[in-house]
Amino acid sequence: MQNEFKVGGEKVEVTVAKNDEIWSLGEYSGRIVGDGRILITAADGQARFAHSAKVGDTWWVHFDGHIFCIEKTEPGSTDNDSDGGMVAPMPGKILDVKIANGDNVAAGQLLLIMEAMKMEHRIVAPSDGVIKQVNFAVGDQVQQGDVLVEMSE
Amino acid sequence: MQNEFKVGGEKVEVTVAKNDEIWSLGEYSGRIVGDGRILITAADGQARFAHSAKVGDTWWVHFDGHIFCIEKTEPGSTDNDSDGGMVAPMPGKILDVKIANGDNVAAGQLLLIMEAMKMEHRIVAPSDGVIKQVNFAVGDQVQQGDVLVEMSE
Amino acid sequence: MINTVLVANRGEIACRILRACNEAGLNSIAIYAPNDAGTLFTELASRSVRLEGETIADTYLNQQQILAIAVEYGADAIHPGFGFLSERADFAQAVIDAGINWIGPAPQAIEMMGDKMTARMTMKAAGVPVIPGEEIDSDDEAEMVAAIVESSQRVGYPLLLKASSGGGGKGMRKVEDPDELVEAIMSARREAITAFGDGRVYVERLLTGSKHVEIQILADKHGRTIHLGERECSVQRRHQKVFEESPCPVMTEGLRSRMGEAAVLAAKAVDYVGAGTVEFLLAANGEFFFLEMNTRIQVEHPVTEMVTGVDLVREQLRIAAGEPMSCGELMMRGHSIEVRLYAEDASNNFLPAIGPLAIFRAPQGPGIRLDTGVREGDLVTPNYDPMLAKLIVWAPSRSEALQRMRRALDEFVVLGTTTNIRFLRELCDNRDVVSGRTDTMLIERVWPDGWHPDYEETTLDAALMAAAISESAGLHRAVVAQAGIESGPTSPFQTLNRRYP
Amino acid sequence: MINTVLVANRGEIACRILRACNEAGLNSIAIYAPNDAGTLFTELASRSVRLEGETIADTYLNQQQILAIAVEYGADAIHPGFGFLSERADFAQAVIDAGINWIGPAPQAIEMMGDKMTARMTMKAAGVPVIPGEEIDSDDEAEMVAAIVESSQRVGYPLLLKASSGGGGKGMRKVEDPDELVEAIMSARREAITAFGDGRVYVERLLTGSKHVEIQILADKHGRTIHLGERECSVQRRHQKVFEESPCPVMTEGLRSRMGEAAVLAAKAVDYVGAGTVEFLLAANGEFFFLEMNTRIQVEHPVTEMVTGVDLVREQLRIAAGEPMSCGELMMRGHSIEVRLYAEDASNNFLPAIGPLAIFRAPQGPGIRLDTGVREGDLVTPNYDPMLAKLIVWAPSRSEALQRMRRALDEFVVLGTTTNIRFLRELCDNRDVVSGRTDTMLIERVWPDGWHPDYEETTLDAALMAAAISESAGLHRAVVAQAGIESGPTSPFQTLNRRYP
């Protein structure tokens, strides 16, 4: 079966075949042994357990001590990341806004400060660009997923 | 909602009412707080957690350190226990058969010996009666749930 | 030097050993029967290899298959755990002959301690006190009966007949009245022949009201043999321990050093290497007598680890690799108690139970250790011993350890399979357990007609309500579908004897 | 006498205290904010009472509401845990005024140690060594600047400006160059006013390359004040500890008794009662200096419990009840390490993370203790501190403890919320951590550009395959439906400072 994923910003296609209870991909084989536990066997016969859980569209996978967030995407979908839209990673409150609509900003420049989880977070420009829209003012409550600032490069 | 259960050989009817997220029964109230966790509050306001899990038709409930096996029965069903049918509680092997069809037996009399889980088990007559049918012979493998001996009182 | 350890066992003790290998930086190989696929211990090894076969004889007791796997995957040591092949001198020899390290004593030591009569004679010769009694020289039925009848007059009543190859209570008969003696000898002999293929029986005085106290010993290949204090394991049902603790509540410094010296003497008498346990009966008057030596790691080893701070399994690995043991002076601190979690119906003569572990919620917090081979969702099957896990607590004092054990058992929720948790919990409240007046007959004495749970009617009412809410709300349907096996308490069964796998 | 303890806290420390109450046979009351309903600690109390309100200020910091609950439900003692109200002298006073036992030191001791400049002066007067530096007497901006500029010449550079009411790094400024001094003073003062409503700032020498070493003390109401050895907590990120151990790897008998004596002196100087911690900086040359005293139980108290065998929370309960502490002579054994499990992205400046704990599989086995407030299925929300649990190991030696910690972290699987588990695991392999050459700048020194996970391409390949199998087989759909909250690593955020709740 063919699956399209996104991991670390890159798209990957992964096709696994199933024969009896054994899944295979190239020299690897895999077997589901329990709820969220998959035994992955490498070409040399070395087998290790992977753990997986899906949250939203993302598969969280633990393998060999590392954790990967692997997003399931629909085949053929286009990359719909907004160009530089900065999204609140968690609910919180805007403490300070350092820029205004139309400002030119340099990569790394401080745009706004937000408080969440008892901490202050600096939101900085990921690249050089122009501020298209600042969506919140000082004191505003923001929800997880809210786009705080829109930028064009 | 009305439920019919069997516990300790006796039938019980339990009717619980639901209002918002709170279930009630007489002076008790209950609230589901997680997967298999129910907070039961007594009349005096004292609240304790019950844990429940269903296996087959039986609810296993842990409350205040005690465990109860509460069998769900269909309303109006008749008691379909065979009269004195002795059922193998686990797979095993018959080691010895001490009785034959038609024998009169007294309560507590040894009927057969079975091996299971590395142990020998004595199957004894639960009451005085007559052996109707011995279903297995020495050396037979038996499965969980097999009726070993049928008796009439 | 050891690089790769094959663990020839399963369940909680396999987990224990595999984790010790991981910590020691050693590669490990788990072997598992097909019906153990996917269980916890198979996840903890560097490599898990499936055994072929259906029965225990074909899998965990299959010496050839296990040795072949060891050779194929490059194991240079084998740890047998307890039970299974751990006390099989022939297997130890085969391992050594294959050029692989045997993590345990030499086959000769296993053999000498494995035959109870030989062990008794060896100990007597070494000056270790044994139970008043007499070895019987003959294997001929008529001669044996005559010899036992004669010696019974010297030994006195009540007495105990024991099979020389015995274990787990098989071939053992209590005799209170001289009139019953001959019949008891014949019966013990028959049972011993059936169970062990060896009908030799000998006679010992029955010491009532005594404690089962055992001494943990460690011996390395550099000539050092030490003891690590005692464990009391008096509380038993059907000759199997359920509640173990260290230190023994009535132990004194003087008695400990005398028993410890006797245990070290016993170990030296058979040139013992590795971890072992010398079991004694401790009479009410303070006299102690050699019972037997277990030439392997024991189920209850954690209580010694908790009070002494020594990692016994890690020391076994060191000793097998030819290193000196790492522990220094004996430094006992606080009190530790272990209870064994069995899948069994304590209210029905401890009949083993099976079923799914629909909920398995372990207790947590300071001073608690759970050595488990199972986890939520596993199925308890009739294929193996019903011991699922061991719950161990440590606290600064015995009374605090008992308080902690009560708290831990109160937190422990296992549903879907009948277990002895409630029995263990009530055991912790028993007057004699609380005061430390435990002896090997405690359970029979306290519950002569068997144990039954005792609860208020309102507790059942609340449970019924919980069931009604669960049913009405459709909770936990998933477990139903997953469980392919019925479970529940049963009734007309009475359990006789257990044979250790 | 105490009968009923109200625990004015949540999460793992509430669990810890409630279990101690259960073991002591005390009734307990948990209080919980609406968003904590159904979490673990609410199950461990004899009675759980819901707080009204949405914010922390309305719930766990709401003195009136908490006191009202204590009175209504008959609590005769309040345990504040750490954070929240634990170092609020006014709350301690209010509790005492309500006729309820305060499980902690007298309000006066909290007050004297809460103000850093006062604490510094008190310690100096008592003969406890303090960091070279000077208190500044004035609250007036101009006078303060002038005084600091003057004393900076005596203190020397680099120096550290500290807010007298400071905590968690707020109002603290490192100054390397005299030219930066005035600006730094103004900035520190502004921040301190904003954060604490108190602009007083003083000056200390910045001691680079030093270790954070703290001494646990216990004092009862019978005049006994003892120390329980040290903890080293040098490894910190953003002034918060992540890796703590006891003993300190460079500790000597002599240094321990000198630091222990200084800590006991510090405690006695404020008539301390209960459990407390005196924090020191330990310079590379073996000199040590008073840093501050924490007048409560500390997050990292378990490592002391593991090596000393003393149950600190249980002793707190005894002391508050007026009993003498139960512990005898200091008897340290083996080595213990604690790591803090945070929901945070260690590869992005330790930005806190949220999400469901879709899988939370804790490590098990000997020598491991997990103090957790969460369990599988819980949601990590932005409402509270992101510390989820503490993983503590004990082993006979430091190298074995590190091996055990590695093994435990390898077994620990948390999915659905980003945590620092991998970071902690790699920390255990760091050369300086392995050798014990830890100091307070370790994380910045080892990862000057931030930490990033390092893995083989084949590891990602295997993970992708696992995801593909999971997706194709439709595994674990249930979690998706339950999770109402998105989670995952983020990018353009940089985190500044944390305030402890």
Side-chain angles (χ1 to χ4, degrees):
Chain A
M1 269 163 268
Q2 180 173 327
N3 295 282
E4 212 172 282
F5 294 117
K6 216 162 97 181
V7 61
E10 299 204 7
K11 282 197 174 177
V12 197
E13 244 182 59
V14 186
T15 304
V16 284
K18 190 181 180 197
N19 192 350
D20 206 1
E21 291 305 303
I22 307 296
W23 298 82
S24 58
L25 169 64
E27 294 182 308
Y28 288 89
S29 69
R31 195 161 52 84
I32 297 169
V33 291
D35 187 31
R37 295 201 303 278
I38 301 148
L39 186 64
I40 304 276
T41 307
D44 64 354
Q46 187 68 25
R48 284 208 190 84
F49 284 85
H51 291 76
S52 72
K54 197 172 189 181
V55 179
D57 288 329
T58 299
W59 280 101
W60 291 67
V61 177
H62 181 276
F63 186 77
D64 200 20
H66 288 275
I67 290 165
F68 300 92
C69 292
I70 300 172
E71 190 191 342
K72 176 78 178 88
T73 56
E74 285 314 307
S77 71
T78 56
D79 198 328
N80 60 355
D81 280 8
S82 80
D83 51 341
M86 267 143 293
V87 170
M90 59 195 82
K93 189 175 146 189
I94 301 298
L95 292 185
D96 202 353
V97 178
K98 297 289 196 183
I99 34 86
N101 295 350
D103 280 6
N104 283 301
V105 293
Q109 184 177 335
L110 179 61
L111 306 182
L112 40 84
I113 300 181
M114 162 179 171
E115 183 189 76
M117 296 189 88
K118 319 292 128 219
M119 297 173 67
E120 289 179 17
H121 307 284
R122 295 156 50 93
I123 290 99
V124 296
S127 60
D128 295 353
V130 179
I131 301 297
K132 280 181 7 195
Q133 181 72 38
V134 182
N135 292 327
F136 293 92
V138 172
D140 284 358
Q141 292 289 338
V142 298
Q143 295 308 310
Q144 182 187 33
D146 283 351
V147 176
L148 303 175
V149 179
E150 291 166 58
M151 260 181 77
S152 59
E153 290 177 36
Chain B
M1 271 164 267
Q2 180 173 328
N3 295 282
E4 211 172 284
F5 294 117
K6 215 163 97 182
V7 61
E10 298 204 7
K11 281 198 174 175
V12 197
E13 244 182 59
V14 186
T15 303
V16 284
K18 191 183 181 196
N19 192 351
D20 207 2
E21 292 303 305
I22 307 295
W23 299 80
S24 57
L25 169 64
E27 292 183 308
Y28 288 88
S29 68
R31 195 161 51 85
I32 297 169
V33 291
D35 187 30
R37 294 202 304 277
I38 302 147
L39 186 63
I40 304 277
T41 306
D44 64 351
Q46 186 69 24
R48 284 209 190 84
F49 284 84
H51 291 75
S52 72
K54 197 174 190 181
V55 179
D57 288 329
T58 300
W59 281 102
W60 290 67
V61 177
H62 181 277
F63 186 77
D64 200 19
H66 288 275
I67 290 166
F68 301 92
C69 292
I70 300 171
E71 190 191 340
K72 176 79 178 88
T73 55
E74 285 314 306
S77 71
T78 56
D79 198 328
N80 60 355
D81 279 9
S82 79
D83 50 340
M86 268 142 293
V87 170
M90 60 195 79
K93 190 175 146 191
I94 301 299
L95 293 186
D96 202 353
V97 177
K98 297 288 195 184
I99 35 88
N101 295 351
D103 281 5
N104 284 301
V105 293
Q109 183 177 336
L110 178 61
L111 306 181
L112 40 83
I113 300 182
M114 166 181 168
E115 183 190 78
M117 297 190 89
K118 317 295 128 219
M119 298 173 68
E120 289 179 17
H121 306 284
R122 294 156 51 93
I123 289 99
V124 297
S127 59
D128 295 352
V130 180
I131 301 297
K132 280 178 14 192
Q133 181 73 39
V134 183
N135 291 327
F136 293 92
V138 172
D140 284 358
Q141 292 289 337
V142 298
Q143 296 308 310
Q144 183 186 31
D146 283 352
V147 176
L148 302 175
V149 178
E150 292 165 56
M151 259 180 79
S152 60
E153 290 179 34
Chain C
M1 271 292 290
I2 288 178
N3 287 307
T4 304
V5 178
L6 183 146
V7 178
N9 217 303
R10 63 179 296 282
E12 68 85 17
I13 191 63
C15 294
R16 169 75 185 92
I17 299 163
L18 290 165
R19 287 187 169 114
C21 293
N22 290 350
E23 292 176 4
L26 302 173
N27 291 317
S28 56
I29 300 170
I31 53 173
Y32 63 97
N35 53 23
D36 270 335
T39 61
L40 182 57
F41 78 96
T42 66
E43 282 186 37
L44 298 176
S46 319
R47 181 159 224 147
S48 285
V49 182
R50 185 180 151 118
L51 292 159
E52 299 303 321
E54 291 293 312
T55 65
I56 293 183
D58 290 343
T59 54
Y60 296 109
L61 291 176
N62 187 335
Q63 301 192 16
Q64 288 71 32
Q65 190 179 181
I66 293 170
L67 270 174
I69 291 171
V71 170
E72 181 180 349
Y73 292 94
D76 51 9
I78 291 183
H79 195 308
F82 49 68
F84 294 128
L85 296 170
S86 62
E87 288 178 298
R88 289 287 297 268
D90 55 343
F91 183 58
Q93 190 60 58
V95 168
I96 293 165
D97 290 345
I100 296 171
N101 265 288
W102 170 252
I103 301 180
Q108 295 74 24
I110 298 175
E111 211 149 14
M112 286 176 86
M113 288 301 185
D115 185 80
K116 290 192 166 188
M117 218 180 323
T118 310
R120 191 182 144 88
M121 289 187 287
T122 311
M123 291 303 103
K124 245 162 77 173
V128 176
V130 299
I131 299 178
E134 293 185 16
E135 301 89 39
I136 302 299
D137 211 12
S138 171
D139 190 24
D140 175 81
E141 186 173 307
E143 273 181 39
M144 194 179 88
V145 171
I148 294 179
V149 168
E150 197 209 325
S151 63
S152 71
Q153 294 164 17
R154 291 186 292 272
V155 172
Y157 289 83
L159 58 75
L160 202 59
L161 299 171
K162 280 186 177 175
S164 189
S165 296
K170 285 251 176 209
M172 197 185 275
R173 290 288 181 283
K174 181 165 89 169
V175 186
E176 315 233 12
D177 185 329
D179 289 349
E180 299 164 358
L181 182 62
V182 174
E183 201 188 303
I185 299 170
M186 304 296 283
S187 151
R189 180 177 156 81
R190 271 197 311 274
E191 196 170 78
I193 290 173
T194 311
F196 317 111
D198 173 4
R200 289 175 304 140
V201 170
Y202 66 104
V203 63
E204 282 183 351
R205 172 95 54 80
L206 178 66
L207 299 168
T208 52
S210 43
K211 284 175 177 288
H212 176 114
V213 176
E214 59 192 31
I215 302 282
Q216 175 70 49
I217 68 109
L218 266 186
D220 63 22
K221 296 171 182 169
H222 298 258
R224 185 161 175 236
T225 302
I226 63 168
H227 78 87
L228 289 157
E230 79 285 358
R231 297 185 284 264
E232 174 172 352
C233 320
S234 301
V235 184
Q236 307 184 356
R237 55 121 187 75
R238 283 190 284 105
H239 301 286
Q240 273 215 326
K241 301 159 183 172
V242 292
F243 179 102
E244 296 126 332
E245 61 184 315
S246 182
C248 162
V250 303
M251 189 54 62
T252 62
E253 281 289 327
L255 182 58
R256 178 179 295 132
S257 69
R258 276 181 287 131
M259 291 183 77
E261 275 163 33
V264 168
L265 209 60
K268 285 184 168 165
V270 295
D271 293 321
Y272 201 84
V273 168
T277 299
V278 185
E279 298 189 332
F280 296 100
L281 270 188
L282 176 63
N285 66 359
E287 274 189 288
F288 59 91
F289 307 97
F290 173 81
L291 212 50
E292 65 181 70
M293 181 166 188
N294 291 315
T295 54
R296 50 167 169 83
I297 193 77
Q298 268 187 307
V299 176
E300 59 271 28
H301 75 277
V303 296
T304 296
E305 297 188 323
M306 302 297 269
V307 296
T308 63
V310 173
D311 185 332
L312 288 168
V313 176
R314 189 76 191 267
E315 296 295 349
Q316 285 188 303
L317 297 176
R318 282 199 183 91
I319 290 168
E323 296 167 34
M325 62 179 96
S326 79
C327 44
E329 288 290 287
L330 179 61
M331 182 173 174
M332 292 175 79
R333 190 171 75 183
H335 200 96
S336 182
I337 300 173
E338 171 181 292
V339 294
R340 300 192 189 183
L341 178 69
Y342 286 108
E344 66 181 19
D345 186 357
S347 68
N348 183 17
N349 202 23
F350 304 101
L351 179 74
I354 55 176
L357 297 171
I359 292 188
F360 187 87
R361 183 182 145 173
Q364 291 178 316
I368 288 186
R369 165 177 169 185
L370 184 74
D371 280 22
T372 177
V374 298
R375 51 187 165 186
E376 194 163 292
D378 281 2
L379 219 50
V380 180
T381 69
N383 303 310
Y384 301 104
D385 188 80
M387 190 180 86
L388 304 179
K390 304 173 323 201
L391 175 61
I392 305 112
V393 300
W394 180 93
S397 67
R398 186 171 191 273
S399 66
E400 286 165 300
L402 266 176
Q403 289 168 337
R404 184 159 282 173
M405 182 60 87
R406 288 188 199 107
R407 192 268 291 169
L409 288 167
D410 283 337
E411 276 190 34
F412 210 156
V413 181
V414 180
L415 295 181
T417 300
T418 304
T419 72
N420 62 339
I421 290 181
R422 183 68 203 171
F423 171 75
L424 296 169
R425 177 62 185 82
E426 295 190 8
L427 194 61
C428 292
D429 284 338
N430 174 263
R431 205 179 47 185
D432 288 348
V433 170
V434 169
S435 67
R437 277 192 299 271
T438 42
D439 62 58
T440 54
M441 304 303 281
L442 183 130
I443 289 179
E444 288 91 330
R445 194 177 68 233
V446 175
W447 293 285
D449 303 318
W451 170 85
H452 293 279
D454 186 29
Y455 50 83
E456 305 280 322
E457 198 59 31
T458 53
T459 305
L460 175 58
D461 288 348
L464 280 166
M465 186 183 182
I469 295 173
S470 301
E471 179 70 29
S472 301
L475 281 186
H476 239 278
R477 294 281 174 195
V479 173
V480 195
Q482 279 170 22
I485 199 165
E486 291 282 324
S487 59
T490 52
S491 61
F493 287 78
Q494 289 182 1
T495 299
L496 287 179
N497 257 310
R498 172 185 310 249
R499 276 180 292 157
Y500 206 75
Chain D
M1 273 292 291
I2 288 178
N3 286 306
T4 303
V5 178
L6 183 147
V7 179
N9 216 302
R10 62 179 297 282
E12 68 86 18
I13 191 62
C15 294
R16 168 76 184 91
I17 299 163
L18 290 165
R19 287 189 170 113
C21 292
N22 290 350
E23 292 176 4
L26 301 174
N27 290 317
S28 56
I29 300 169
I31 53 172
Y32 64 97
N35 53 23
D36 270 335
T39 61
L40 183 57
F41 79 96
T42 65
E43 283 187 37
L44 299 176
S46 320
R47 180 159 226 147
S48 286
V49 181
R50 186 179 149 120
L51 292 160
E52 300 302 322
E54 291 294 312
T55 65
I56 293 182
D58 290 344
T59 54
Y60 296 109
L61 292 175
N62 187 335
Q63 302 192 14
Q64 289 69 31
Q65 189 179 183
I66 293 171
L67 271 174
I69 291 171
V71 170
E72 182 179 350
Y73 292 94
D76 50 10
I78 290 183
H79 195 307
F82 49 67
F84 294 127
L85 296 170
S86 61
E87 289 178 296
R88 289 288 297 269
D90 54 345
F91 183 58
Q93 191 61 57
V95 168
I96 294 165
D97 291 346
I100 297 172
N101 264 289
W102 170 249
I103 302 180
Q108 296 73 22
I110 299 175
E111 210 150 16
M112 285 177 87
M113 288 301 185
D115 185 79
K116 290 191 166 189
M117 216 178 329
T118 310
R120 192 183 144 88
M121 288 187 287
T122 311
M123 291 304 102
K124 245 164 74 173
V128 176
V130 298
I131 299 178
E134 293 184 16
E135 301 89 38
I136 303 299
D137 211 11
S138 172
D139 190 24
D140 175 82
E141 184 173 307
E143 273 181 41
M144 195 179 90
V145 171
I148 293 179
V149 168
E150 196 209 328
S151 62
S152 72
Q153 294 163 18
R154 290 186 293 272
V155 172
Y157 288 84
L159 57 76
L160 203 60
L161 300 172
K162 282 185 177 176
S164 190
S165 298
K170 286 249 174 209
M172 197 186 274
R173 289 289 182 281
K174 181 165 90 170
V175 186
E176 315 233 14
D177 186 329
D179 289 350
E180 298 163 1
L181 181 61
V182 174
E183 202 187 304
I185 299 169
M186 304 294 285
S187 151
R189 181 177 155 82
R190 270 197 311 274
E191 195 171 77
I193 289 173
T194 311
F196 318 110
D198 172 3
R200 289 174 305 139
V201 170
Y202 66 103
V203 62
E204 284 184 350
R205 171 97 53 80
L206 179 66
L207 298 168
T208 53
S210 42
K211 284 175 178 288
H212 176 113
V213 176
E214 59 191 31
I215 303 281
Q216 175 70 49
I217 68 108
L218 267 185
D220 64 21
K221 295 172 182 168
H222 298 258
R224 186 160 174 234
T225 302
I226 64 168
H227 77 87
L228 289 158
E230 78 285 0
R231 297 185 285 262
E232 174 172 351
C233 320
S234 300
V235 184
Q236 306 184 355
R237 54 123 189 75
R238 284 190 284 104
H239 301 288
Q240 273 215 324
K241 302 160 183 172
V242 292
F243 180 103
E244 297 126 333
E245 61 184 315
S246 180
C248 163
V250 303
M251 188 54 61
T252 62
E253 282 289 327
L255 182 58
R256 178 178 297 131
S257 69
R258 275 181 287 129
M259 292 184 76
E261 277 163 32
V264 168
L265 209 60
K268 285 184 168 165
V270 296
D271 293 322
Y272 200 84
V273 168
T277 299
V278 185
E279 298 189 330
F280 295 101
L281 269 187
L282 175 64
N285 66 359
E287 274 189 289
F288 60 90
F289 307 98
F290 174 82
L291 213 49
E292 65 181 70
M293 181 166 187
N294 291 314
T295 54
R296 50 168 169 83
I297 193 76
Q298 267 187 307
V299 176
E300 60 271 26
H301 76 276
V303 296
T304 297
E305 296 188 323
M306 302 297 268
V307 296
T308 63
V310 174
D311 184 333
L312 288 168
V313 176
R314 189 75 192 267
E315 296 295 349
Q316 284 188 304
L317 298 176
R318 282 199 183 90
I319 290 168
E323 297 167 32
M325 62 180 95
S326 79
C327 43
E329 287 290 287
L330 179 61
M331 183 173 173
M332 292 176 78
R333 189 170 76 182
H335 200 97
S336 181
I337 301 173
E338 171 181 292
V339 294
R340 300 192 188 183
L341 178 69
Y342 286 108
E344 65 182 19
D345 186 357
S347 68
N348 184 18
N349 202 23
F350 304 100
L351 179 74
I354 54 175
L357 297 171
I359 291 188
F360 187 87
R361 184 184 143 170
Q364 291 178 316
I368 288 186
R369 166 177 168 184
L370 184 73
D371 281 20
T372 177
V374 298
R375 52 187 166 185
E376 195 162 292
D378 282 1
L379 221 49
V380 181
T381 69
N383 303 310
Y384 301 104
D385 188 79
M387 191 180 85
L388 304 179
K390 304 173 321 200
L391 176 62
I392 304 114
V393 300
W394 179 93
S397 67
R398 186 172 191 271
S399 65
E400 286 166 300
L402 265 176
Q403 289 168 337
R404 183 159 283 173
M405 182 59 87
R406 287 187 200 107
R407 193 268 291 168
L409 288 167
D410 283 338
E411 276 189 32
F412 210 156
V413 181
V414 180
L415 295 181
T417 300
T418 304
T419 71
N420 63 339
I421 290 181
R422 183 69 203 172
F423 170 75
L424 295 169
R425 177 63 186 80
E426 294 189 8
L427 193 62
C428 291
D429 284 338
N430 174 263
R431 206 180 46 187
D432 288 347
V433 170
V434 168
S435 67
R437 277 192 298 271
T438 42
D439 63 58
T440 54
M441 304 302 281
L442 183 131
I443 289 179
E444 289 90 330
R445 193 177 69 232
V446 174
W447 293 287
D449 303 319
W451 171 84
H452 293 280
D454 186 30
Y455 51 82
E456 305 281 322
E457 197 59 31
T458 53
T459 305
L460 175 57
D461 288 349
L464 280 166
M465 186 183 182
I469 294 172
S470 302
E471 179 70 29
S472 301
L475 282 186
H476 239 279
R477 294 280 173 194
V479 174
V480 195
Q482 279 170 22
I485 199 165
E486 291 282 325
S487 59
T490 50
S491 63
F493 286 79
Q494 290 181 0
T495 299
L496 287 179
N497 258 310
R498 172 185 311 249
R499 276 179 292 156
Y500 206 75

